[in-house]
Amino acid sequence: MIVGMAARLAVRSSVLVAALLLGGCSDWAKGVAETARRVAHPSPALPSPEEVLARPYYQMQVDQGRHAAVLVLGNVDGDREAWYSGDGVILFLRHGLLVKSSGMRGANVEGTGLPAGSPFLAGLQQLAVPASTTRRVDLSPGYRYGVRLHSRLSPGPLETVQILGEPHVLRRIDEHVDAPGMGWQADNRYWVDPADGRVRKTRQTLPGGATLTLTMLRPYP
């Protein structure tokens, strides 16, 4: 369960190194600890736009029921982003899709294989008609490798989504996903900027695990 951020995160990329250079290591650590105190309690309020902009790192809020945390971007490897919390949770995203998780209580996604024609790789803003695709995931616990997830993606209406008090007109993409081999199914949603394809908000359920709402407070370009 995600309940906060700590002051020490792994420095593994130029993005995080740049943040440290901008703010200074001690200032950065204090900022992380301060953010942790803000979100480590039920139903936390979002940080203000000024607070987000004042901290020299990219930030994402994760909500899981009554618990929430602000994660920071710690690594970018190609099109995969790694977002860190201080309680040992790491979430990996590709084009808004949660492709790997570490440290979550219960089920974790150890890896995701996307086919070449995946709408996520093409950009969800390009989705004009419903499309079906299949991806493979590795899951733990249980050492379940190559689990097939059948996905049906459908473009929805434009919706106004409030992020830090600012309205964003985003395209909603609905996804129904099921894994017949494990008797599991879920409905995910992605709110996508129609101009650049950036997923600004999403609600996803890990196969056999938690449902997370991810909101990009200060997204990576």
mmCIF file of all heavy atoms in Angstrom, residues 11-42:
data_model
loop_
_atom_site.group_PDB
_atom_site.id
_atom_site.type_symbol
_atom_site.label_atom_id
_atom_site.label_comp_id
_atom_site.label_asym_id
_atom_site.label_seq_id
_atom_site.Cartn_x
_atom_site.Cartn_y
_atom_site.Cartn_z
ATOM 1 N N VAL A 11 19.074 7.460 -7.234
ATOM 2 C CA VAL A 11 19.394 8.420 -8.289
ATOM 3 C C VAL A 11 19.980 7.645 -9.450
ATOM 4 O O VAL A 11 21.130 7.238 -9.412
ATOM 5 C CB VAL A 11 20.389 9.479 -7.790
ATOM 6 C CG1 VAL A 11 20.683 10.471 -8.893
ATOM 7 C CG2 VAL A 11 19.827 10.185 -6.574
ATOM 8 N N ARG A 12 19.160 7.419 -10.488
ATOM 9 C CA ARG A 12 19.582 6.540 -11.551
ATOM 10 C C ARG A 12 19.456 7.148 -12.939
ATOM 11 O O ARG A 12 19.653 6.460 -13.923
ATOM 12 C CB ARG A 12 18.764 5.247 -11.526
ATOM 13 C CG ARG A 12 18.935 4.447 -10.237
ATOM 14 C CD ARG A 12 18.412 3.056 -10.411
ATOM 15 N NE ARG A 12 17.007 3.094 -10.811
ATOM 16 C CZ ARG A 12 16.338 2.042 -11.283
ATOM 17 N NH1 ARG A 12 16.965 0.914 -11.463
ATOM 18 N NH2 ARG A 12 15.070 2.149 -11.601
ATOM 19 N N SER A 13 19.114 8.405 -13.024
ATOM 20 C CA SER A 13 18.913 8.955 -14.356
ATOM 21 C C SER A 13 19.269 10.418 -14.383
ATOM 22 O O SER A 13 19.350 11.090 -13.366
ATOM 23 C CB SER A 13 17.450 8.786 -14.798
ATOM 24 O OG SER A 13 16.640 9.667 -14.080
ATOM 25 N N SER A 14 19.445 10.925 -15.607
ATOM 26 C CA SER A 14 19.776 12.334 -15.770
ATOM 27 C C SER A 14 18.641 13.227 -15.324
ATOM 28 O O SER A 14 18.852 14.363 -14.905
ATOM 29 C CB SER A 14 20.113 12.617 -17.236
ATOM 30 O OG SER A 14 19.013 12.292 -18.076
ATOM 31 N N VAL A 15 17.383 12.740 -15.417
ATOM 32 C CA VAL A 15 16.239 13.543 -14.973
ATOM 33 C C VAL A 15 16.359 13.851 -13.502
ATOM 34 O O VAL A 15 16.236 14.993 -13.068
ATOM 35 C CB VAL A 15 14.921 12.789 -15.268
ATOM 36 C CG1 VAL A 15 13.744 13.533 -14.659
ATOM 37 C CG2 VAL A 15 14.732 12.640 -16.757
ATOM 38 N N LEU A 16 16.601 12.828 -12.689
ATOM 39 C CA LEU A 16 16.700 13.039 -11.254
ATOM 40 C C LEU A 16 17.972 13.780 -10.895
ATOM 41 O O LEU A 16 17.981 14.621 -9.998
ATOM 42 C CB LEU A 16 16.652 11.686 -10.535
ATOM 43 C CG LEU A 16 16.387 11.743 -9.028
ATOM 44 C CD1 LEU A 16 15.184 12.621 -8.723
ATOM 45 C CD2 LEU A 16 16.182 10.362 -8.473
ATOM 46 N N VAL A 17 19.067 13.502 -11.597
ATOM 47 C CA VAL A 17 20.303 14.229 -11.350
ATOM 48 C C VAL A 17 20.095 15.715 -11.599
ATOM 49 O O VAL A 17 20.542 16.566 -10.833
ATOM 50 C CB VAL A 17 21.433 13.687 -12.233
ATOM 51 C CG1 VAL A 17 22.644 14.599 -12.167
ATOM 52 C CG2 VAL A 17 21.827 12.280 -11.787
ATOM 53 N N ALA A 18 19.366 16.042 -12.682
ATOM 54 C CA ALA A 18 19.101 17.445 -12.977
ATOM 55 C C ALA A 18 18.304 18.092 -11.858
ATOM 56 O O ALA A 18 18.545 19.237 -11.480
ATOM 57 C CB ALA A 18 18.343 17.566 -14.301
ATOM 58 N N ALA A 19 17.334 17.353 -11.315
ATOM 59 C CA ALA A 19 16.549 17.893 -10.209
ATOM 60 C C ALA A 19 17.424 18.175 -9.005
ATOM 61 O O ALA A 19 17.279 19.202 -8.334
ATOM 62 C CB ALA A 19 15.440 16.909 -9.835
ATOM 63 N N LEU A 20 18.337 17.287 -8.726
ATOM 64 C CA LEU A 20 19.232 17.493 -7.588
ATOM 65 C C LEU A 20 20.118 18.712 -7.802
ATOM 66 O O LEU A 20 20.376 19.486 -6.891
ATOM 67 C CB LEU A 20 20.092 16.246 -7.373
ATOM 68 C CG LEU A 20 19.335 15.011 -6.850
ATOM 69 C CD1 LEU A 20 20.245 13.799 -6.890
ATOM 70 C CD2 LEU A 20 18.833 15.244 -5.452
ATOM 71 N N LEU A 21 20.594 18.878 -9.029
ATOM 72 C CA LEU A 21 21.450 20.023 -9.311
ATOM 73 C C LEU A 21 20.693 21.329 -9.165
ATOM 74 O O LEU A 21 21.238 22.340 -8.715
ATOM 75 C CB LEU A 21 22.024 19.892 -10.733
ATOM 76 C CG LEU A 21 23.049 18.765 -10.932
ATOM 77 C CD1 LEU A 21 23.442 18.686 -12.408
ATOM 78 C CD2 LEU A 21 24.286 18.986 -10.065
ATOM 79 N N LEU A 22 19.408 21.308 -9.554
ATOM 80 C CA LEU A 22 18.617 22.526 -9.465
ATOM 81 C C LEU A 22 18.326 22.917 -8.021
ATOM 82 O O LEU A 22 18.388 24.086 -7.652
ATOM 83 C CB LEU A 22 17.287 22.331 -10.215
ATOM 84 C CG LEU A 22 17.358 22.385 -11.743
ATOM 85 C CD1 LEU A 22 16.018 21.962 -12.322
ATOM 86 C CD2 LEU A 22 17.729 23.779 -12.214
ATOM 87 N N GLY A 23 17.996 21.904 -7.195
ATOM 88 C CA GLY A 23 17.528 22.219 -5.863
ATOM 89 C C GLY A 23 18.535 21.985 -4.766
ATOM 90 O O GLY A 23 18.343 22.440 -3.646
ATOM 91 N N GLY A 24 19.616 21.249 -5.068
ATOM 92 C CA GLY A 24 20.534 20.889 -4.006
ATOM 93 C C GLY A 24 20.040 19.651 -3.309
ATOM 94 O O GLY A 24 18.857 19.493 -3.054
ATOM 95 N N CYS A 25 20.934 18.716 -2.985
ATOM 96 C CA CYS A 25 20.520 17.417 -2.453
ATOM 97 C C CYS A 25 19.737 17.562 -1.163
ATOM 98 O O CYS A 25 18.690 16.968 -0.984
ATOM 99 C CB CYS A 25 21.753 16.542 -2.240
ATOM 100 S SG CYS A 25 21.370 14.870 -1.674
ATOM 101 N N SER A 26 20.230 18.386 -0.224
ATOM 102 C CA SER A 26 19.546 18.489 1.049
ATOM 103 C C SER A 26 18.182 19.151 0.885
ATOM 104 O O SER A 26 17.205 18.741 1.507
ATOM 105 C CB SER A 26 20.400 19.272 2.043
ATOM 106 O OG SER A 26 20.652 20.584 1.560
ATOM 107 N N ASP A 27 18.091 20.193 0.060
ATOM 108 C CA ASP A 27 16.816 20.849 -0.170
ATOM 109 C C ASP A 27 15.827 19.895 -0.817
ATOM 110 O O ASP A 27 14.641 19.876 -0.476
ATOM 111 C CB ASP A 27 16.998 22.082 -1.069
ATOM 112 C CG ASP A 27 17.739 23.195 -0.353
ATOM 113 O OD1 ASP A 27 17.802 23.163 0.893
ATOM 114 O OD2 ASP A 27 18.264 24.083 -1.035
ATOM 115 N N TRP A 28 16.325 19.112 -1.769
ATOM 116 C CA TRP A 28 15.475 18.134 -2.448
ATOM 117 C C TRP A 28 14.944 17.112 -1.455
ATOM 118 O O TRP A 28 13.762 16.798 -1.430
ATOM 119 C CB TRP A 28 16.281 17.455 -3.544
ATOM 120 C CG TRP A 28 15.570 16.336 -4.237
ATOM 121 C CD1 TRP A 28 14.633 16.430 -5.240
ATOM 122 C CD2 TRP A 28 15.734 14.940 -3.988
ATOM 123 N NE1 TRP A 28 14.217 15.194 -5.617
ATOM 124 C CE2 TRP A 28 14.872 14.264 -4.869
ATOM 125 C CE3 TRP A 28 16.525 14.208 -3.115
ATOM 126 C CZ2 TRP A 28 14.792 12.877 -4.904
ATOM 127 C CZ3 TRP A 28 16.456 12.832 -3.143
ATOM 128 C CH2 TRP A 28 15.593 12.179 -4.027
ATOM 129 N N ALA A 29 15.820 16.600 -0.593
ATOM 130 C CA ALA A 29 15.403 15.603 0.387
ATOM 131 C C ALA A 29 14.372 16.178 1.347
ATOM 132 O O ALA A 29 13.389 15.522 1.696
ATOM 133 C CB ALA A 29 16.619 15.092 1.162
ATOM 134 N N LYS A 30 14.580 17.434 1.781
ATOM 135 C CA LYS A 30 13.617 18.057 2.675
ATOM 136 C C LYS A 30 12.265 18.221 1.982
ATOM 137 O O LYS A 30 11.214 18.053 2.604
ATOM 138 C CB LYS A 30 14.143 19.416 3.130
ATOM 139 C CG LYS A 30 15.350 19.323 4.075
ATOM 140 C CD LYS A 30 15.869 20.706 4.405
ATOM 141 C CE LYS A 30 17.096 20.640 5.308
ATOM 142 N NZ LYS A 30 17.649 21.983 5.584
ATOM 143 N N GLY A 31 12.308 18.568 0.675
ATOM 144 C CA GLY A 31 11.058 18.721 -0.066
ATOM 145 C C GLY A 31 10.303 17.415 -0.178
ATOM 146 O O GLY A 31 9.075 17.382 -0.059
ATOM 147 N N VAL A 32 11.016 16.324 -0.383
ATOM 148 C CA VAL A 32 10.382 15.016 -0.448
ATOM 149 C C VAL A 32 9.754 14.659 0.887
ATOM 150 O O VAL A 32 8.620 14.184 0.976
ATOM 151 C CB VAL A 32 11.403 13.936 -0.874
ATOM 152 C CG1 VAL A 32 10.802 12.548 -0.783
ATOM 153 C CG2 VAL A 32 11.883 14.197 -2.294
ATOM 154 N N ALA A 33 10.486 14.884 1.966
ATOM 155 C CA ALA A 33 9.964 14.571 3.294
ATOM 156 C C ALA A 33 8.725 15.401 3.604
ATOM 157 O O ALA A 33 7.745 14.910 4.180
ATOM 158 C CB ALA A 33 11.043 14.810 4.344
ATOM 159 N N GLU A 34 8.741 16.664 3.197
ATOM 160 C CA GLU A 34 7.591 17.533 3.432
ATOM 161 C C GLU A 34 6.377 17.019 2.680
ATOM 162 O O GLU A 34 5.258 16.969 3.220
ATOM 163 C CB GLU A 34 7.913 18.958 2.985
ATOM 164 C CG GLU A 34 6.742 19.926 3.132
ATOM 165 C CD GLU A 34 7.043 21.272 2.502
ATOM 166 O OE1 GLU A 34 8.217 21.529 2.180
ATOM 167 O OE2 GLU A 34 6.093 22.034 2.327
ATOM 168 N N THR A 35 6.576 16.610 1.427
ATOM 169 C CA THR A 35 5.480 16.068 0.644
ATOM 170 C C THR A 35 4.944 14.803 1.284
ATOM 171 O O THR A 35 3.735 14.561 1.321
ATOM 172 C CB THR A 35 5.933 15.784 -0.792
ATOM 173 O OG1 THR A 35 6.454 16.989 -1.363
ATOM 174 C CG2 THR A 35 4.767 15.315 -1.649
ATOM 175 N N ALA A 36 5.839 13.962 1.804
ATOM 176 C CA ALA A 36 5.422 12.728 2.469
ATOM 177 C C ALA A 36 4.495 13.030 3.629
ATOM 178 O O ALA A 36 3.483 12.362 3.831
ATOM 179 C CB ALA A 36 6.648 11.954 2.945
ATOM 180 N N ARG A 37 4.835 14.044 4.411
ATOM 181 C CA ARG A 37 3.994 14.383 5.563
ATOM 182 C C ARG A 37 2.605 14.839 5.119
ATOM 183 O O ARG A 37 1.609 14.609 5.802
ATOM 184 C CB ARG A 37 4.665 15.465 6.405
ATOM 185 C CG ARG A 37 5.864 14.961 7.195
ATOM 186 C CD ARG A 37 6.303 15.995 8.209
ATOM 187 N NE ARG A 37 6.816 17.203 7.579
ATOM 188 C CZ ARG A 37 8.096 17.376 7.251
ATOM 189 N NH1 ARG A 37 8.977 16.422 7.477
ATOM 190 N NH2 ARG A 37 8.504 18.499 6.700
ATOM 191 N N ARG A 38 2.525 15.477 3.944
ATOM 192 C CA ARG A 38 1.249 15.981 3.451
ATOM 193 C C ARG A 38 0.312 14.857 3.041
ATOM 194 O O ARG A 38 -0.910 14.992 3.177
ATOM 195 C CB ARG A 38 1.464 16.903 2.251
ATOM 196 C CG ARG A 38 2.029 18.266 2.590
ATOM 197 C CD ARG A 38 2.181 19.083 1.312
ATOM 198 N NE ARG A 38 0.919 19.170 0.593
ATOM 199 C CZ ARG A 38 -0.017 20.084 0.804
ATOM 200 N NH1 ARG A 38 0.157 20.987 1.754
ATOM 201 N NH2 ARG A 38 -1.128 20.103 0.115
ATOM 202 N N VAL A 39 0.863 13.744 2.514
ATOM 203 C CA VAL A 39 -0.005 12.734 1.914
ATOM 204 C C VAL A 39 -0.119 11.467 2.731
ATOM 205 O O VAL A 39 -0.891 10.585 2.391
ATOM 206 C CB VAL A 39 0.491 12.378 0.487
ATOM 207 C CG1 VAL A 39 0.487 13.591 -0.387
ATOM 208 C CG2 VAL A 39 1.863 11.722 0.527
ATOM 209 N N ALA A 40 0.609 11.318 3.818
ATOM 210 C CA ALA A 40 0.596 10.070 4.586
ATOM 211 C C ALA A 40 -0.552 10.034 5.589
ATOM 212 O O ALA A 40 -0.373 9.746 6.758
ATOM 213 C CB ALA A 40 1.924 9.875 5.294
ATOM 214 N N HIS A 41 -1.744 10.340 5.131
ATOM 215 C CA HIS A 41 -2.925 10.227 5.965
ATOM 216 C C HIS A 41 -4.132 10.100 5.046
ATOM 217 O O HIS A 41 -4.037 10.410 3.859
ATOM 218 C CB HIS A 41 -3.077 11.441 6.886
ATOM 219 C CG HIS A 41 -3.126 12.750 6.166
ATOM 220 N ND1 HIS A 41 -4.275 13.248 5.606
ATOM 221 C CD2 HIS A 41 -2.153 13.668 5.916
ATOM 222 C CE1 HIS A 41 -4.021 14.420 5.041
ATOM 223 N NE2 HIS A 41 -2.748 14.692 5.208
ATOM 224 N N PRO A 42 -5.272 9.603 5.528
ATOM 225 C CA PRO A 42 -6.413 9.392 4.653
ATOM 226 C C PRO A 42 -6.879 10.670 3.971
ATOM 227 O O PRO A 42 -6.844 11.756 4.546
ATOM 228 C CB PRO A 42 -7.495 8.849 5.603
ATOM 229 C CG PRO A 42 -6.721 8.246 6.724
ATOM 230 C CD PRO A 42 -5.503 9.120 6.893
#
